[in-house]
Structure formats: structure tokens, C-alpha cells
Amino acid sequence: MGSLDGKNIFVTGGLGFIGSHTVLVLLDHGAKVHLIDNMSNSFIRVYDHMKKLAGDKADRMTFTQCDINDKDGLTKIFEKETFDCVIHFAGFKAVGESVDKPLEYYRNNFVGTVVLLEVMRQFGLKNMVFSSSCTVYGLPEEVPITEAAALKAISPYGRTKLFQAGA
Ligand SMILES: O=c1ccn([C@@H]2O[C@H](COP(=O)(O)OP(=O)(O)O[C@H]3O[C@H](CO)[C@H](O)[C@H](O)[C@H]3O)[C@@H](O)[C@H]2O)c(=O)[nH]1
């Protein structure tokens, strides 16, 4: 018996570093998980490894290669399954690269999240856990940073995280 028995959770960026570990923990707690990833910063061998680590819990895990900007792809998944929650990790995450390619970061991270939220709204799903970043605090006046610190993102990456949380 797990605390998430009977729950079906949709995880974006599920083959990434934090996403893949989160999926395994969700399975440990009894959840069923559908994970997506666009493979921009991951490899299918990660999924093979996750299946091995999950053992007999792997039958509660499904992977689809899909981008958060792909509304049709997301819609097809949501038509087939009812989810209790979305955990959203998918996103480009390099601060320096975001300075060189700000529009790519705004389009991919922010617009992609709007697309995901539109699909969630279409299916009446209101629960999202969003993976933000300490870059939303810019150069903080004090460390350790607490959630009371002022939001002062200084990079396009940090701003995408700030905008997404606001959305
Ligand atoms: O548009 C995208 C961009 C990336 N990815 C995927 O999302 C995953 C992100 O995982 P990473 O290993 O690149 O990143 P981390 O797990 O280390 O980062 C996590 O913590 C970060 C803290 O800055 C951010 O919150 C980030 O969004 C979140 O995934 C990758 O598999 C990548 O392929 C997508 O599916 N769609």
C-alpha cells in the first residue's frame, strides 16, 4: 500500500535528472506514471535503466516521446488517460545559453508551459507541481535563499521560470 495508490501522474521532462528520479519515487509510492520527454537533453537508455530499477513496478510506467509545445501530441495522451496531477520538469535550463538564445528559451519554456496548461484546462485538470529554479531570485542579498526573498531574475532562463510560475 502506498500513499499514491490509484493516482495517475503525468510527468514532463521525465527522462531528465530530477524527472527520472521523481518518477521512480512516485512508483515506489504506488502511483501510475505517464512520462514525456522531447529527448533534447536525455537518452532512451535512461528509460531502459528506469525500467530495470523499477522492477515489477515498471508496468505502472509509460513513456511517450513528446514535446510540451506539441498540443496534438499532448491531447492524444490526455484523451486516453485521466490524470490527477501534472509534475512539470521539461525545459531548457542553461543560464548562459539563455543569454545567447533568449527567444528560444521564452518560446520553449514559457510558450510550451502555456500549451501544456491549455491542454490541462481542456481536460479540467487543475493540479500542477512546477519545477522552478533559484535563478528566479537573481543575485540574492542573503544566503541561504528563502521563498521570502525578492524575485529578481537576471537571465532569460530565470525569467522564463518566473513567468511560468506566474502563469
Ligand atoms: O522543451 C523541453 C526541454 C527539455 N526537455 C527534457 O526535460 C528534461 C529536463 O531534465 P534535465 O536533466 O535537463 O534538467 P534537471 O532535471 O536537472 O532540471 C530540473 O530542475 C531545473 C532547476 O533549474 C529546472 O527546473 C528544470 O526544468 C528541471 O527539469 C530533459 O530530459 C529534457 O530532454 C523536454 O522534454 N522538453
Side-chain angles (χ1 to χ4, degrees), residues 1-11 22-23 25-35 57 59-62 81-87 125 127 129:
M1 291 286 281
S3 56
L4 295 175
D5 281 355
K7 299 290 183 203
N8 194 14
I9 304 188
F10 185 72
V11 177
T22 303
V23 168
V25 173
L26 292 171
L27 293 174
D28 273 347
H29 284 79
K32 193 171 165 236
V33 182
H34 195 135
L35 57 130
K57 298 171 211 139
D59 59 3
R60 283 189 268 117
M61 175 171 72
T62 307
E81 289 182 61
T82 302
F83 296 102
D84 296 288
C85 177
V86 171
I87 306 184
L125 180 56
N127 303 321
V129 176

Side-chain angles (χ1 to χ4, degrees), residues 15-73:
L15 294 187
F17 178 65
I18 301 176
S20 58
H21 287 80
T22 303
V23 168
L24 292 173
V25 173
L26 292 171
L27 293 174
D28 273 347
H29 284 79
K32 193 171 165 236
V33 182
H34 195 135
L35 57 130
I36 64 162
D37 202 293
N38 72 355
M39 316 289 287
S40 61
N41 196 30
S42 58
F43 300 93
I44 195 61
R45 66 172 180 266
V46 173
Y47 189 55
D48 296 334
H49 195 53
M50 287 166 75
K51 280 197 275 193
K52 274 191 201 140
L53 289 171
D56 57 6
K57 298 171 211 139
D59 59 3
R60 283 189 268 117
M61 175 171 72
T62 307
F63 169 64
T64 303
Q65 183 170 351
C66 181
D67 194 291
I68 49 170
N69 283 281
D70 177 1
K71 196 169 197 173
D72 289 344

